[in-house]
Amino acid sequence: MPQLRIALGQINPTVGALEDNSALIFATVKDAASRGAHLVVLPEMALTGYPIEDLAFRPSFVDASRETVSALARQLGHEGLGQVAVVTGFLDRADACVSRPGAPKGSPQNAVAVLYAGEVVARQAKHHLWNYGVGDEIRNFVPGDALTVIQVRGVDVAIAICEDIWQDGPSDAADAAEAGLLIVPNGSPYERNKDDDRFDLCSRRAREGACALAYVNLVGGQDELVFDGDSLVVDAQGALVARSPQFVPDLLVVDLELPAATAPMPDPDTSFDGLTVQRFVLDDQPVAAYEPTLTTLAEPLDDLAEVYAALVLGLRDYVRKNGFRSVLMGLSGGIDSTLVGAIACDALGAENVFGVSNPSEWSTEHSKTDAAELARRTGLTLETVPIAAMVDAFRKAVDVDGLAEENLQARIRAVVWMALSNQHGHLVLACGNKSELAVGYSTIYGDAVGGFAPLMDVPKTLVWQLAQWRNADAARRGRQPPIPENTISKPPSAELRPGQLDTDSLPAYELLDDILDDYVEQDRSAPELVEQGFDAETVERVVALVDRAEYKRRQYPPGPKISARNFGRDRRLPITSAWRERLVATPPAASHERMPPPGPTSST
Amino acid sequence: MPQLRIALGQINPTVGALEDNSALIFATVKDAASRGAHLVVLPEMALTGYPIEDLAFRPSFVDASRETVSALARQLGHEGLGQVAVVTGFLDRADACVSRPGAPKGSPQNAVAVLYAGEVVARQAKHHLWNYGVGDEIRNFVPGDALTVIQVRGVDVAIAICEDIWQDGPSDAADAAEAGLLIVPNGSPYERNKDDDRFDLCSRRAREGACALAYVNLVGGQDELVFDGDSLVVDAQGALVARSPQFVPDLLVVDLELPAATAPMPDPDTSFDGLTVQRFVLDDQPVAAYEPTLTTLAEPLDDLAEVYAALVLGLRDYVRKNGFRSVLMGLSGGIDSTLVGAIACDALGAENVFGVSNPSEWSTEHSKTDAAELARRTGLTLETVPIAAMVDAFRKAVDVDGLAEENLQARIRAVVWMALSNQHGHLVLACGNKSELAVGYSTIYGDAVGGFAPLMDVPKTLVWQLAQWRNADAARRGRQPPIPENTISKPPSAELRPGQLDTDSLPAYELLDDILDDYVEQDRSAPELVEQGFDAETVERVVALVDRAEYKRRQYPPGPKISARNFGRDRRLPITSAWRERLVATPPAASHERMPPPGPTSST
């Protein structure tokens, strides 16, 4: 069987940075070529970054993507890299691909280009557009209906783009087209446990397609998404052959023995399952036999290591790709802001992390000493700005008490952070976790301010686990555990009135997170929750809190998605909604009586 | 030809309020029956409110919708209204409708139910899902593939749901099915000039379908959408027969002479254009001849009256449907907050409107007198809370100057508003306009705070026009014009430093709004803008400002959409994006040189 050395470029492009991304692809191909690769595959939309959302509607951007990919092909030719076959994702439009009947002319497409001999020799647009969860591709793209098969060194190679292998069809088509290898460029964002699903899927599709499968994914952060890489190669029996490490750029070079192309060349175009097969012969001569190189078989990270890495990369890339250098956060000595401080130090270096302690008359002594201890252990810069005088000035101007007074303190702190941010150019981080965001346990324009929210998809119980994992990991590596033990062990409190504890207002977090998982992520009804064994009154209270906090979530900054359903693009609910889960499953017969109005929603 | 009296119920349901909405539909049918109607048509998703977004994924909500529509049918039967044919929108699931092959079993559907004789006798799911602009229906629903034709008093009536008439096909199917009337339940949100498009479309579809067409639309506000009603009836020649007023609930009762049903009854189900026709005979006996009633032919509002009405209704319904009674806003004496004050008084009554004046050391005398004059003219309550002492307290705590100091003042004001909101339960209104939001000319967590932003889709030049229109309209009606003339005529200023004017930082608003319209709403490229005659340096500056302000728009409160593309669901761009329009159309060849990093993005 012919040999083929393939290289999977697990790269970290930036959305919209066409020239930068093109340079990154060029450097990747050059590196792969120096390692003897015959075929280099880059991820989905590698040239534009991903997802581009409504940038797809901007004709100037589509033009620039098409021109840049052609310029890249020419550049590769000029620099002596024309004989390496390169497959890269880019933004195309339908007039260049065969698109479905009725698709608007000139509509944008999520596509790949095959670069060879200084030219773009073939293209293929994604067949199955991703339109659930955080994906809106039917809004932005028209699908393709062509299956491109390129012959590289005597081996037929078929292409499927990301969602195409999550749906039935394309691997069967690859089988029917008798391809020896199916390459799959992806932009598949991280969520917990997805790496297991991903390998199982690739393995199954390889067996169905009766061909080896090479899966290459993006790496890096883009707004609320983190791409974890995890590129991999399986053989035609579905066995794992090679795997890239997660959350870092990588060039995975793999030698494969693949069946020789059998189709007559050039073969008349054929059609399977609605897909027209288009064959392009780049080079029909197999390479002379050579000694295979060693390959990488990275071990996937365990669950907590993976989540922590996602948070670090998500933060680092948001900061870097938006032109910031440093971050600032309020440090209360509590577990959330402390974990954010540790993540920020890991992401950006302690020299770029600025903490602000804003003690009030209700602040405990440990809130100050624990924040100072974090600073001592990590090396971040801690500044203390007491708020008593500012609180007094407001109390003289406006007459408030109760919740309004508690919120006042939180908002005065936020004004201090924003003033320091504006003065020094730091990006402010919001430190709230997913449990708080779910039930609205935060002060809008107070602790909720910030440009990025590292923990917005991390439930409180997972916050504690991550803090413990980070300390244990440091200990394993013989380093200083960054997080003060007292911060982990003390009961959580907002410290906005004397002796306040979170459990005054909320169920214990272990219980709360269980209910939230079932209600928010699984869409279980209130009667189902009660049937599962949760206390009815608690279910009713939690569900009402979640439903009423939608307006606060709308104004919250983005943060990295780590769960199957985050509070960003994954869950899109109306703010104005009178729907309330009822504990009794069957609604009463409709009557003329008016329902109570949707409850006095507090702006707090 | 048989006569038929139809009633179109232009109602204002609340999303999620199933029992309330059911009671509203019942009352509408009762009213229509008392006026002799044979067929009552309610809008799209009238029972659930619209759009429900991801509430569609909650099985308990789908169950409740189905149970409530059945209960409504029973109730109509019990109350002696069973012989009126009622067609109402509701949320169904695919196992009850014929859905496309491969559609997941039990998937939610945007559907209508036909209620007759105490039962749900027929259903139809929307064929063409609305998935552009602010619509995400492919995410939430599976399409239907059945065309339901009901025979009412000897007349065959076909149904098309909203988007179904914006696409080719359904009216042809109605023609092929030989229906005498096509009824079209809609959830079609307002935007400027849409009423003209709507009539033209209905007229065209009636002629294509060779049948009369009855279009009934929702009225009311739902988060960023405002439904304007504008229900109408056209005859088979496309001529307008009846029309409801915009922005108010209405029951449009119309007598039509319609062709007698010709199809054999019961007809075997037939299929046109992929749609299976399902016939249901409710009553094959034409009504005895009677004297037609007078009908309404409301004149559509002119452009400015329409926009103003949309803003008033959008605000009123957001407040009311979320359980608030009163609103609060900062009143600077400037045109934006003054117009918001006038709108709020019109929406809620002056007794529910609370303005706060927060003079600083840089505030002009007219900023105070103009705000007081607005209060005098409208009767809203004005409170004055000077901020000097609070600014001093912050200045002692943090060392800021320049932009950071300007933002500090804006944020101190916001903390005062939020304290008053928390203390008294007022909803805070953000007063920024679309031009400011486009270029980021506002202080995040300062003047941008609020639960609702009435002017967020209103460009500054239109703000002035609306203020003048409102005053002129008052004068026409012999009332006090609410907006002080000085507020309209003075040059706009943020008053955050001595002598500051908006034009220090921005082009004149007439010019700015022209560029914004072309760049934001039309997706024109920078070279195209220059070719149109705009100054290159100005284009470059405006485009850069718009691109960099995305993060601020993400945290902005919702406000009523009035344009073809608002800054909410209509325009979804990544925050992290290095794409910058270039004035030179052709990009330079890709090279190894790095592009300058995106940003530095200020948090301001």
Side-chain angles (χ1 to χ4, degrees):
Chain A
M1 292 209 286
Q3 284 177 286
L4 201 64
R5 180 168 293 175
I6 65 171
L8 306 184
Q10 177 171 299
I11 63 170
N12 185 349
T14 298
V15 164
L18 293 174
E19 289 161 51
D20 251 9
N21 299 341
S22 179
L24 185 57
I25 295 169
F26 181 88
T28 303
V29 173
K30 195 169 178 182
D31 186 8
S34 76
R35 293 167 67 181
H38 308 112
L39 169 65
V40 185
V41 189
L42 287 303
E44 184 176 16
M45 302 284 271
L47 188 69
T48 53
Y50 183 78
I52 59 168
E53 307 180 48
D54 286 1
L55 276 178
F57 298 150
R58 189 156 272 287
S60 54
F61 187 59
V62 185
D63 289 341
S65 169
R66 288 159 56 105
E67 286 158 8
T68 305
V69 83
S70 296
L72 174 61
R74 286 195 299 275
Q75 188 193 11
L76 288 165
H78 290 153
E79 304 273 345
L81 299 167
Q83 298 315 301
V84 181
V86 176
V87 178
T88 183
F90 81 119
L91 172 64
D92 202 357
R93 67 160 62 93
D95 60 14
C97 288
V98 180
S99 98
R100 283 191 189 156
K105 190 156 180 282
S107 292
Q109 292 194 304
N110 176 336
V112 293
V114 180
L115 316 184
Y116 192 74
E119 285 179 22
V120 176
V121 294
R123 301 162 195 242
Q124 175 175 323
K126 196 172 185 173
H127 310 134
H128 294 282
L129 298 176
W130 180 31
N131 208 71
Y132 52 85
V134 300
D136 284 306
E137 292 195 330
I138 294 179
R139 172 185 178 84
N140 294 129
F141 303 117
V142 294
D145 62 0
L147 179 73
T148 297
V149 178
I150 52 172
Q151 193 174 126
V152 181
R153 304 291 180 129
V155 175
D156 275 341
V157 179
I159 305 169
I161 303 175
C162 198
E163 183 69 15
D164 288 345
I165 65 158
W166 294 82
Q167 308 275 342
D168 291 329
S171 59
D172 298 335
D175 182 23
E178 296 181 32
L181 173 66
L182 179 62
I183 56 177
V184 189
N186 291 271
S188 175
Y190 171 71
E191 63 187 52
R192 288 173 86 180
N193 306 321
K194 200 177 190 180
D195 46 350
D196 305 331
D197 293 349
R198 199 178 269 157
F199 167 69
D200 292 347
L201 178 73
C202 289
S203 179
R204 180 155 64 88
R205 292 303 186 203
R207 291 192 305 271
E208 287 171 6
C211 64
L213 186 153
Y215 176 105
V216 57
N217 194 15
L218 292 166
V219 70
Q222 169 61 25
D223 290 351
E224 71 186 47
L225 302 183
V226 183
F227 298 94
D228 58 332
D230 192 29
S231 302
L232 55 87
V233 178
V234 294
D235 65 21
Q237 288 73 47
L240 187 66
V241 173
R243 190 166 205 165
S244 287
Q246 291 170 278
F247 300 104
V248 289
D250 188 46
L251 184 67
L252 186 66
V253 179
V254 189
D255 278 305
L256 296 170
E257 287 195 21
L258 297 167
T262 54
M265 294 159 292
D267 190 28
D269 289 351
T270 46
S271 174
F272 303 101
D273 229 1
L275 296 175
T276 303
V277 178
Q278 299 179 317
R279 294 182 181 275
F280 298 87
V281 178
L282 308 191
D283 186 345
D284 60 5
Q285 293 305 307
V287 285
Y290 63 89
E291 193 60 32
T293 188
L294 280 180
T295 193
T296 311
L297 204 56
E299 193 64 33
L301 299 173
D302 68 30
D303 180 43
L304 293 174
E306 203 178 69
V307 172
Y308 195 87
L311 301 180
V312 168
L313 181 57
L315 173 59
R316 181 190 298 138
D317 275 5
Y318 189 88
V319 169
R320 180 177 67 84
K321 292 181 179 179
N322 284 292
F324 288 95
R325 284 203 178 76
S326 54
V327 295
L328 177 149
M329 76 221 56
L331 283 181
S332 67
I335 187 70
D336 299 319
S337 60
T338 301
L339 182 63
V340 170
I343 290 167
C345 289
D346 290 338
L348 307 166
E351 68 279 13
N352 295 312
V353 180
F354 296 82
V356 185
S357 169
N358 296 114
S360 77
E361 57 186 315
W362 312 128
S363 295
T364 56
E365 193 53 35
H366 62 73
S367 75
K368 294 173 247 180
T369 54
D370 289 344
E373 177 64 12
L374 171 72
R376 194 191 64 75
R377 291 181 179 207
T378 59
L380 65 76
T381 303
L382 179 66
E383 183 176 357
T384 300
V385 181
I387 60 169
M390 293 174 275
V391 173
D392 280 350
F394 274 94
R395 279 194 186 129
K396 280 178 195 140
V398 280
D399 193 22
V400 290
D401 55 20
L403 197 63
E405 189 176 19
E406 294 180 27
N407 285 330
L408 179 60
Q409 297 169 59
R411 293 198 179 107
I412 286 171
R413 291 187 172 112
V415 175
V416 171
W417 309 335
M418 290 306 300
L420 292 168
S421 161
N422 286 169
Q423 190 71 21
H424 303 293
H426 311 309
L427 176 74
V428 174
L429 301 182
C431 297
N433 60 62
K434 189 178 194 176
S435 314
E436 287 178 359
L437 199 60
V439 295
Y441 193 69
S442 69
T443 300
I444 191 169
Y445 321 123
D447 52 292
V449 311
F452 199 69
L455 305 183
M456 74 104 78
D457 199 31
V458 182
K460 184 79 172 190
T461 48
L462 183 57
V463 170
W464 276 305
Q465 290 173 42
L466 289 171
Q468 284 165 324
W469 175 87
R470 180 65 183 80
N471 274 3
D473 187 61
R476 266 192 299 276
R477 291 182 290 121
R479 301 290 188 82
Q480 165 83 280
I483 300 175
E485 286 67 27
N486 187 51
T487 296
I488 299 177
S489 59
K490 68 187 176 186
S493 164
E495 300 198 349
L496 293 170
R497 58 173 190 263
Q500 184 178 32
L501 291 178
D502 289 10
T503 46
D504 300 345
S505 311
L506 300 174
Y509 281 111
E510 291 72 17
L511 173 61
L512 178 64
D513 283 354
D514 278 351
I515 298 177
L516 290 175
D517 183 64
D518 286 333
Y519 181 63
V520 174
E521 296 191 28
Q522 318 289 333
D523 272 328
R524 299 255 162 82
S525 69
E528 285 170 320
L529 294 172
V530 173
E531 205 169 290
Q532 277 172 249
F534 294 114
D535 168 63
E537 187 272 332
T538 309
V539 165
E540 202 157 29
R541 187 155 61 101
V542 170
V543 161
L545 288 171
V546 172
D547 290 349
R548 284 171 190 181
E550 187 54 34
Y551 75 99
K552 282 191 191 181
R553 289 190 285 270
R554 265 333 154 79
Q555 295 191 33
Y556 207 72
K561 167 184 161 75
I562 61 155
S563 74
R565 187 182 282 178
N566 75 2
F567 277 127
R569 297 276 159 101
D570 260 341
R571 188 175 188 267
R572 308 180 191 177
L573 288 175
I575 297 175
T576 305
S577 170
W579 172 245
R580 297 290 176 262
E581 284 287 327
R582 280 171 288 215
L583 286 172
V584 182
T586 314
S591 80
H592 294 279
E593 284 172 57
R594 280 187 60 82
M595 276 174 58
T601 310
S602 157
S603 272
T604 310
Chain B
M1 293 209 286
Q3 283 178 286
L4 200 65
R5 182 167 291 176
I6 65 171
L8 306 183
Q10 177 172 300
I11 63 170
N12 185 350
T14 298
V15 163
L18 293 174
E19 289 161 51
D20 252 10
N21 299 341
S22 180
L24 185 58
I25 294 169
F26 181 88
T28 303
V29 173
K30 195 170 177 180
D31 186 9
S34 76
R35 293 168 67 183
H38 309 112
L39 169 64
V40 186
V41 189
L42 286 305
E44 184 176 15
M45 301 287 271
L47 189 69
T48 53
Y50 183 78
I52 59 167
E53 306 181 47
D54 286 1
L55 278 178
F57 297 149
R58 189 155 273 285
S60 54
F61 187 60
V62 185
D63 289 342
S65 168
R66 288 158 56 104
E67 287 157 8
T68 306
V69 84
S70 296
L72 173 61
R74 286 194 300 275
Q75 187 194 9
L76 289 166
H78 290 152
E79 306 273 345
L81 299 167
Q83 299 315 302
V84 181
V86 177
V87 178
T88 182
F90 81 120
L91 172 64
D92 201 358
R93 66 161 61 94
D95 60 15
C97 289
V98 181
S99 98
R100 281 192 189 157
K105 192 158 178 282
S107 292
Q109 291 194 304
N110 177 336
V112 293
V114 180
L115 317 184
Y116 191 73
E119 286 179 22
V120 176
V121 294
R123 301 164 195 241
Q124 174 174 324
K126 194 172 186 174
H127 310 134
H128 293 282
L129 299 175
W130 180 30
N131 208 71
Y132 52 83
V134 299
D136 283 305
E137 292 197 329
I138 294 179
R139 170 185 179 85
N140 294 129
F141 303 117
V142 295
D145 62 359
L147 179 73
T148 297
V149 178
I150 52 172
Q151 193 173 129
V152 180
R153 305 292 179 126
V155 175
D156 275 341
V157 179
I159 306 169
I161 305 176
C162 198
E163 184 68 15
D164 290 345
I165 65 159
W166 293 83
Q167 308 275 342
D168 290 328
S171 58
D172 298 334
D175 182 25
E178 295 181 32
L181 173 66
L182 178 62
I183 56 176
V184 190
N186 291 272
S188 176
Y190 170 70
E191 64 185 51
R192 287 173 87 180
N193 305 321
K194 201 177 189 181
D195 46 350
D196 304 331
D197 293 348
R198 200 178 267 159
F199 166 68
D200 291 346
L201 178 72
C202 289
S203 179
R204 180 156 64 88
R205 293 301 186 203
R207 292 191 305 271
E208 287 171 5
C211 63
L213 187 152
Y215 177 106
V216 56
N217 194 15
L218 292 167
V219 70
Q222 169 60 27
D223 290 352
E224 71 185 46
L225 303 183
V226 183
F227 298 94
D228 58 332
D230 192 29
S231 302
L232 55 88
V233 178
V234 294
D235 65 20
Q237 289 73 47
L240 187 65
V241 172
R243 190 166 204 164
S244 286
Q246 291 170 280
F247 301 106
V248 289
D250 189 45
L251 184 67
L252 187 65
V253 179
V254 188
D255 279 304
L256 296 170
E257 288 193 22
L258 298 167
T262 53
M265 295 160 289
D267 188 28
D269 288 352
T270 46
S271 175
F272 302 102
D273 228 0
L275 296 175
T276 303
V277 178
Q278 301 178 316
R279 293 184 182 274
F280 299 87
V281 179
L282 309 190
D283 186 347
D284 59 5
Q285 293 305 308
V287 286
Y290 64 89
E291 192 62 32
T293 186
L294 279 179
T295 195
T296 313
L297 203 57
E299 193 64 33
L301 299 173
D302 68 29
D303 180 43
L304 293 175
E306 202 179 70
V307 172
Y308 194 87
L311 301 180
V312 168
L313 181 57
L315 173 60
R316 181 190 297 135
D317 274 5
Y318 188 89
V319 169
R320 180 176 68 84
K321 293 181 179 180
N322 284 293
F324 288 94
R325 282 201 181 77
S326 54
V327 295
L328 177 148
M329 75 223 54
L331 283 182
S332 67
I335 187 69
D336 299 318
S337 60
T338 301
L339 182 62
V340 169
I343 290 168
C345 290
D346 290 337
L348 307 166
E351 67 279 15
N352 295 312
V353 180
F354 296 82
V356 185
S357 168
N358 297 114
S360 77
E361 58 186 314
W362 311 130
S363 296
T364 54
E365 194 52 35
H366 61 74
S367 73
K368 295 172 247 182
T369 53
D370 289 343
E373 176 64 11
L374 171 72
R376 194 190 63 75
R377 292 180 179 207
T378 59
L380 65 77
T381 303
L382 179 66
E383 183 175 356
T384 299
V385 182
I387 61 169
M390 294 174 275
V391 173
D392 279 350
F394 274 94
R395 278 195 187 130
K396 281 178 193 139
V398 280
D399 193 23
V400 290
D401 56 18
L403 197 62
E405 189 175 21
E406 293 181 27
N407 285 329
L408 180 60
Q409 298 169 59
R411 294 197 178 107
I412 286 171
R413 291 187 172 112
V415 174
V416 171
W417 309 334
M418 289 307 300
L420 293 169
S421 161
N422 287 169
Q423 191 70 23
H424 304 292
H426 309 310
L427 176 74
V428 174
L429 301 182
C431 298
N433 60 61
K434 189 178 195 176
S435 314
E436 287 178 358
L437 199 60
V439 296
Y441 193 69
S442 68
T443 300
I444 189 169
Y445 320 124
D447 51 293
V449 312
F452 199 69
L455 304 184
M456 74 104 80
D457 200 31
V458 182
K460 185 80 173 191
T461 47
L462 183 57
V463 169
W464 276 304
Q465 289 173 44
L466 288 170
Q468 284 165 323
W469 175 87
R470 179 64 184 81
N471 274 4
D473 186 62
R476 265 191 299 276
R477 292 182 289 121
R479 302 289 189 84
Q480 164 84 280
I483 300 177
E485 286 67 27
N486 187 50
T487 295
I488 299 177
S489 59
K490 68 188 176 185
S493 164
E495 297 198 350
L496 293 171
R497 59 171 191 264
Q500 184 178 30
L501 290 179
D502 290 10
T503 45
D504 299 344
S505 311
L506 300 174
Y509 281 111
E510 291 71 18
L511 174 61
L512 179 63
D513 284 354
D514 278 351
I515 297 177
L516 290 174
D517 182 65
D518 287 333
Y519 181 63
V520 173
E521 297 191 27
Q522 318 289 334
D523 273 328
R524 299 256 162 81
S525 69
E528 285 170 322
L529 294 171
V530 173
E531 205 169 290
Q532 277 173 248
F534 294 115
D535 167 63
E537 187 272 333
T538 308
V539 165
E540 200 157 31
R541 187 154 62 103
V542 170
V543 161
L545 289 171
V546 172
D547 290 349
R548 284 171 191 180
E550 188 55 34
Y551 74 100
K552 282 192 189 179
R553 290 189 285 267
R554 267 326 158 82
Q555 295 191 34
Y556 207 72
K561 167 183 160 78
I562 61 155
S563 73
R565 186 181 283 177
N566 76 1
F567 278 128
R569 296 276 159 101
D570 261 341
R571 188 175 187 267
R572 309 180 190 177
L573 287 176
I575 297 176
T576 304
S577 170
W579 172 246
R580 296 291 176 264
E581 284 287 327
R582 279 170 288 213
L583 285 172
V584 182
T586 315
S591 80
H592 295 275
E593 282 171 58
R594 281 186 60 81
M595 275 174 59
T601 312
S602 158
S603 272
T604 310

